[in-house]
């Protein structure tokens, strides 16, 4: 996740500038990328660069207002910069820098990338890279915990939080594209409806969470249990019971009321998570249903299914294991009990 351009190269030509685009302070797209080390900031930066943003990595926070001014004078319309705990003591200046940025008339948005602790540990061990706080905290788990604590305030100010634990680079790219590149709809809130399985843990970036484990579970149906929530037979199984219809009515009314309120408050990104046991059947069906309802109501909405692939793989593995266990072992005789 190497930088595309570091803070010593601010005088480089603005590859991210758009021809004929006058970058006034109000019109400039100024994105601050931050989050946990190992959560994918480098990948996100690559995506922004592909979309025509002028990208700078590891910029000391105190230089952010000056950097924004330079970009404005250079008519750079799209800017994305990365700042995080690698800045050491300089990182503590971020709050003041953001206040100065706002006071100078620049608007900005913060993209915060997160990931589950066990995934972060795994990524660091696989890449054999040192954690930025490893000198103060030699234990990797303690370093991650300390970084999470240091970023807590910034996470609370984020316009968009993405947990990349189970997201592919392509899925992250599509989320960035949906939120930051659809200029015609830039003023409209994007609603991401996410299905998940409680046995895999709750999503950390959800604003609203609904538990649908009380609904009839097709997993135990021998005919359709191997299918997922995209199959019509599973959809019919989940949707037809009266309890489901009653829940959908109440859920729809609640979201119809709450979504406009979030948008009025200026929220640009809303995540609604719907969870069942494994994240393969009920939550998938209702996530698709709610996404369609939001689209029909005029909202920008996208569905994501966090645990669908994982549940499918686990199901196939269990099926193979059961099949193997049922086979009689060769070379053994059946001995009657005496």
């Amino acid at each position: 996740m190497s930088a595309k351009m570091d803070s010593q190269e601010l005088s480089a030509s603005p590859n991210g500038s758009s021809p004929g685009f006058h970058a006034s302070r109000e019109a400039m797209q100024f994105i601050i990328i931050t989050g946990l080390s190992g959560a994918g900031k480098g990948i996100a930066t690559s995506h922004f660069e592909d979309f025509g943003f002028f990208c700078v990595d590891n910029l000391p926070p105190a230089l952010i207002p000056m950097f924004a001014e330079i970009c404005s004078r250079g008519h750079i319309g799209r800017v994305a910069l990365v700042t995080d705990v690698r800045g050491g003591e300089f990182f503590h200046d971020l709050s003041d820098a953001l206040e100065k940025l706002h006071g100078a008339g620049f608007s900005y948005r913060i993209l915060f990338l997160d990931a589950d602790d066990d995934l972060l540990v795994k990524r660091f061990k696989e890449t054999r890279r040192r954690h930025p706080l490893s000198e103060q905290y030699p234990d990797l788990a303690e370093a991650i915990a300390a970084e999470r604590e240091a970023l807590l305030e910034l996470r609370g100010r984020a316009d968009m939080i993405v947990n990349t634990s189970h997201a592919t680079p392509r899925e992250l790219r599509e989320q960035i594209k949906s939120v930051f590149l659809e200029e015609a709809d830039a003023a409209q809130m994007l609603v991401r409806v996410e299905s998940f399985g409680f046995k895999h843990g709750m999503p950390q970036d959800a604003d609203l969470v609904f538990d649908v484990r009380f609904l009839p579970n097709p997993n135990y149906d021998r005919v359709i249990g191997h299918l997922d929530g995209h199959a019509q037979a599973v959809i019919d199984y989940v949707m037809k019971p009266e309890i489901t219809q009653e829940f959908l009515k109440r859920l729809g009314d609640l979201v119809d009321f709450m979504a406009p309120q979030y948008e009025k408050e200026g929220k640009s990104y809303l995540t609604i998570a719907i969870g069942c046991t494994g994240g393969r059947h009920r939550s998938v069906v209702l996530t698709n249903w709610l996404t369609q309802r939001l689209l029909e109501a005029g909202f920008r909405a996208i569905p994501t299914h966090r645990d669908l692939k994982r549940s499918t793989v686990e199901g196939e593995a269990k099926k193979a294991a059961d099949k193997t266990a049922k086979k009689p072992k060769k070379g053994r005789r059946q001995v009657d009990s005496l």
Side-chain angles (χ1 to χ4, degrees):
M1 300 179 189
S2 59
K4 296 299 177 184
M5 183 171 293
D6 60 33
S7 57
Q8 295 178 348
E9 297 175 294
L10 296 184
S11 60
S13 60
N15 297 326
S17 59
S18 303
F21 183 86
H22 182 76
S24 67
R25 298 186 179 192
E26 295 79 11
M28 180 190 295
Q29 281 188 280
F30 198 92
I31 313 300
I32 297 173
I33 307 169
T34 189
L36 277 294
S37 300
K41 296 190 294 291
I43 294 175
T45 304
S46 297
H47 292 327
F48 274 105
E49 189 173 65
D50 291 342
F51 291 138
F53 280 73
F54 180 59
C55 300
V56 176
D57 187 19
N58 200 19
L59 184 72
L63 297 180
I64 290 178
M66 183 187 302
F67 171 67
E69 182 65 36
I70 292 174
C71 291
S72 178
R73 292 177 182 176
H75 306 291
I76 301 175
R78 292 178 171 178
V79 180
L81 64 88
V82 182
T83 184
D84 50 40
V85 296
R86 288 175 298 164
E89 291 298 321
F90 295 112
F91 186 67
H92 300 306
D93 299 330
L94 183 57
S95 293
D96 291 339
L98 295 180
E99 292 298 327
K100 292 180 181 178
L101 191 66
H102 178 72
F106 291 98
S107 60
Y108 61 87
R109 288 194 282 176
I110 299 175
L111 168 62
F112 189 99
L113 298 178
D114 201 348
D116 299 342
D117 287 355
D118 57 337
L119 265 297
L120 292 175
V121 170
K122 181 180 179 181
R123 289 172 184 175
F124 271 102
K125 289 184 176 180
E126 288 177 346
T127 59
R128 298 183 180 181
R129 297 189 64 183
R130 294 180 59 191
H131 191 279
L133 301 182
S134 59
E135 290 189 6
Q136 302 98 306
Y137 304 94
D139 180 78
L140 180 56
E142 292 182 0
I144 293 173
E147 181 181 28
R148 193 177 291 282
E149 179 67 25
L151 293 170
L152 194 59
E153 180 184 352
L154 187 57
R155 189 181 194 278
R157 301 178 64 169
D159 297 279
M160 177 181 180
I161 300 174
V162 178
N163 188 305
T164 64
S165 298
H166 308 292
T168 65
R170 182 173 181 176
E171 289 171 341
L172 177 60
R173 177 187 178 91
E174 289 305 309
Q175 291 189 52
I176 290 173
K177 182 179 179 180
S178 297
V179 174
F180 298 107
L181 293 183
E182 295 182 3
E183 294 301 322
D185 300 318
Q188 187 179 11
M189 179 178 68
L190 174 69
V191 183
R192 182 167 66 96
V193 189
E194 180 179 45
S195 69
F196 73 96
F198 276 95
K199 74 176 184 179
H200 302 301
M202 288 178 57
Q204 297 183 2
D205 55 346
D207 298 293
L208 300 171
V209 178
F210 296 97
D211 183 348
V212 298
R213 288 176 291 183
F214 64 90
L215 297 178
N217 190 355
N219 184 61
Y220 300 110
D221 188 296
R222 293 184 178 182
V223 178
I224 65 173
H226 65 286
L227 302 174
D228 62 39
H230 294 302
Q232 189 60 49
V234 175
I235 296 172
D236 292 342
Y237 186 100
V238 173
M239 297 291 283
K240 283 185 177 180
E242 290 185 11
I243 188 172
T244 302
Q245 292 301 311
E246 179 64 23
F247 173 69
L248 293 181
K249 180 181 182 302
R250 294 172 183 264
L251 175 63
D253 290 343
L254 180 62
V255 173
D256 287 347
F257 170 75
M258 296 186 69
Q261 308 310 315
Y262 280 115
E263 192 168 34
K264 287 179 182 178
E265 287 296 314
K267 195 171 181 65
S268 60
Y269 193 80
L270 177 69
T271 299
I272 302 175
I274 301 177
C276 59
T277 304
R280 187 182 177 200
H281 296 113
R282 294 164 291 182
S283 61
V284 174
V285 173
L286 297 193
T287 289
N288 290 337
W289 175 86
L290 183 57
T291 302
Q292 185 60 37
R293 181 186 177 96
L294 287 163
L295 288 171
E296 292 174 356
F299 284 95
R300 296 167 62 211
I302 55 172
T304 59
H305 303 290
R306 192 193 74 176
D307 298 325
L308 179 58
K309 293 180 182 179
R310 175 158 57 177
S311 295
T312 302
V313 171
E314 290 178 352
E316 292 299 323
K318 184 178 183 301
K319 188 186 300 182
D322 292 342
K323 188 175 181 180
T324 303
K326 290 179 181 178
K327 289 183 178 180
K329 294 184 178 179
K330 295 181 179 180
R332 286 192 176 184
R333 292 182 178 179
Q334 190 78 18
V335 180
D336 294 332
S337 59
L338 299 177

